[in-house]
Amino acid sequence: MDFHPVDYSAAIIRPPSPTSSIGSTHPVDQTSLSDQEDVCSHPEFDLKWRQKIRLGEKREEEDDAEREVLLTRPKTPNSERTLLETVLGNLHNAVNQLKEDEVFERALLYGSHAAMDQTPSSNDVDIILQSMMTQKSSISPSQGEDSVMDTNGSLSTAGRRLKRH
């Protein structure tokens, strides 16, 4: 087996770090008195913070998921009106949430100006594409590219084929 010699670059020689930069300084401990180890035992500390962050309690989403889905038929006109207002309010909130999600997703996909863009006025794909081509077309065959008409009716420009309609 032949070994090829490897040429390594020269070592970088620099002066040693000053002694003041070697050590590290930490800010003063700002633990509250009630959380210090000599005042509060570990189980007490654990219980305090479990209660403070509500660990073990149901979140609002979990409560919503466990709510009864089927609606009971109201027995009085007043309860029927209350049920109707509740259902309409929930639908209104759901629609608003979907609208906000759509604006957010558009902003993520297309940038912050996407939410301000108007939706196309037509459902015809050909019309939409034609309007996009006339507004945003920046390169045409007349801008220095040689264009040749093929026998099959396609316009060939610099290796690309553009279909004529």
Side-chain angles (χ1 to χ4, degrees), residues 12 17-18 26 30 33 38 45 58 67 70 75 81 87 106 108 115-116 121 128 130 134 141-142 155-156 159:
I12 299 173
S17 300
H26 299 283
Q30 297 180 355
L33 293 175
D38 56 343
F45 176 82
K58 290 183 182 178
R67 189 177 304 140
L70 299 176
K75 295 184 170 102
R81 180 176 207 82
V87 168
R106 277 187 177 187
L108 285 179
M116 294 183 269
S121 59
I128 295 170
Q130 186 65 34
T134 56
S142 63
L155 183 65
S156 177

Side-chain angles (χ1 to χ4, degrees), residues 15 24 31 71 86 140:
S24 59
T31 305
L71 302 175
T86 304
S140 66

Side-chain angles (χ1 to χ4, degrees), residues 114-141:
M116 294 183 269
D117 289 346
Q118 293 182 357
T119 57
S121 59
S122 174
N123 290 334
D124 188 6
V125 175
D126 292 330
I127 293 173
I128 295 170
L129 288 174
Q130 186 65 34
S131 69
M132 291 170 58
M133 292 168 94
T134 56
Q135 292 174 359
K136 298 178 182 176
S137 178
S138 61
I139 298 177
S140 66

Side-chain angles (χ1 to χ4, degrees), residues 35 44-55:
D35 290 341
E44 290 172 339
F45 176 82
D46 206 24
L47 179 64
K48 173 187 173 183
W49 282 98
R50 282 179 181 269
Q51 290 173 344
K52 195 168 194 168
I53 64 172
R54 297 172 44 194
L55 190 65

Side-chain angles (χ1 to χ4, degrees), residues 23-96:
S24 59
T25 59
H26 299 283
V28 179
D29 186 12
Q30 297 180 355
T31 305
S32 70
L33 293 175
S34 64
D35 290 341
Q36 289 184 354
E37 292 178 0
D38 56 343
V39 175
C40 181
S41 68
H42 186 70
E44 290 172 339
F45 176 82
D46 206 24
L47 179 64
K48 173 187 173 183
W49 282 98
R50 282 179 181 269
Q51 290 173 344
K52 195 168 194 168
I53 64 172
R54 297 172 44 194
L55 190 65
E57 293 180 21
K58 290 183 182 178
R59 295 181 317 203
E60 187 176 327
E61 294 88 12
E62 292 172 319
D63 284 336
D64 289 344
E66 290 181 356
R67 189 177 304 140
E68 187 63 36
V69 177
L70 299 176
L71 302 175
T72 58
R73 187 169 296 280
K75 295 184 170 102
T76 65
N78 194 19
S79 63
E80 183 176 352
R81 180 176 207 82
T82 305
L83 179 64
L84 177 67
E85 289 173 0
T86 304
V87 168
L88 288 177
N90 289 341
L91 285 173
H92 181 70
N93 291 339
V95 167
N96 284 339

